[in-house]
Amino acid sequence: MKNILTSKRDDNNSFLSTKDYNDVIEQVKKSKMCLKTVGEAKTMKDYRVVRKYDILKINGKERLIRPVDEKNVVLYYVKIDELFDILHETHSAIGHGGRNRMMAELKNKYCNITNETVMVYLKLCVQCQKKAVHPRRGLVSKPILESTFNSRAQVDLIDMQSQHYNDYRFIMNYQDH
């Protein structure tokens, strides 16, 4: 995650550290007060901040959200500190689903989680790595063709020790090529 954060430009970074998160909350409060106050100079930054962010108070704690539109959907901004926990909870809740299922679930609650962070998380998930598709070998092997009789053969032993018959514990399969 740190590599992703350092590779992004400061003005093109959707991730908020705890300090940045708190700074944005304070900026939103100031901008809202400025826009409500008659006669105070209003800047483009005030309009931009109010259009992009809003504050929701939950149990006395202020959370940064995207302004609620006509759909009445509340989308939260996530701090970097909370990012891993949210990704882990969501991924476990959907039964270790892939990128598309995870992004669809996250888009319902959060607005600043990127595809890139989801992919990094999925690469680190041990269970998802185990269930990754591996090329399967067929049970039937390709025949080896030879021109002379009994020059090449294949021998397979089938272990039947758990289901032995009299004193026979193996089945030998001899195939002439």
Side-chain angles (χ1 to χ4, degrees), residues 142-148 151-152 177:
K142 292 181 182 178
I144 303 169
L145 302 176
E146 259 321 300
S147 58
T148 58
S151 63
R152 291 185 71 127
H177 294 290

Side-chain angles (χ1 to χ4, degrees), residues 3-52:
N3 290 340
I4 294 172
L5 295 174
T6 55
S7 68
K8 299 285 185 186
R9 295 188 329 251
D10 289 337
D11 61 342
N12 190 26
N13 194 347
S14 64
F15 307 105
L16 297 168
S17 66
T18 305
K19 181 186 177 304
D20 294 338
Y21 191 86
N22 293 331
D23 291 345
V24 170
I25 288 176
E26 292 304 317
Q27 181 63 43
V28 170
K29 288 179 185 177
K30 288 178 187 174
S31 295
K32 281 188 172 186
M33 284 299 281
C34 179
L35 293 176
K36 286 181 184 177
T37 308
V38 178
E40 192 169 333
K42 297 157 181 67
T43 63
M44 290 301 290
K45 185 176 181 181
D46 293 330
Y47 288 107
R48 188 173 49 245
V49 166
V50 169
R51 196 175 344 115
K52 188 173 180 181

Side-chain angles (χ1 to χ4, degrees), residues 29-137:
K29 288 179 185 177
K30 288 178 187 174
S31 295
K32 281 188 172 186
M33 284 299 281
C34 179
L35 293 176
K36 286 181 184 177
T37 308
V38 178
E40 192 169 333
K42 297 157 181 67
T43 63
M44 290 301 290
K45 185 176 181 181
D46 293 330
Y47 288 107
R48 188 173 49 245
V49 166
V50 169
R51 196 175 344 115
K52 188 173 180 181
Y53 302 106
D54 201 359
I55 299 172
L56 180 66
K57 226 175 198 177
I58 302 172
N59 295 333
K61 195 174 182 183
E62 294 176 331
R63 296 290 311 250
L64 201 58
I65 63 169
R66 180 177 281 167
V68 179
D69 56 0
E70 61 273 352
K71 296 177 187 175
N72 290 330
V73 178
V74 176
L75 297 175
Y76 296 95
Y77 281 91
V78 178
K79 296 184 233 179
I80 296 171
D81 304 340
E82 303 170 333
L83 185 60
F84 180 81
D85 295 331
I86 289 170
L87 290 173
H88 183 69
E89 287 172 15
T90 304
H91 188 60
S92 299
I94 61 172
H96 291 274
R99 178 197 68 216
N100 294 341
R101 285 185 55 205
M102 205 163 157
M103 283 305 295
E105 190 71 25
L106 290 168
K107 292 290 181 190
N108 294 331
K109 296 179 185 175
Y110 307 102
C111 58
N112 67 329
I113 297 178
T114 63
N115 231 352
E116 196 174 14
T117 55
V118 170
M119 289 307 294
V120 168
Y121 178 81
L122 290 176
K123 285 180 186 174
L124 299 175
C125 180
V126 176
Q127 277 187 304
C128 291
Q129 295 305 316
K130 285 181 182 176
K131 74 175 187 179
V133 178
H134 298 292
R136 295 185 183 184
R137 294 172 132 189

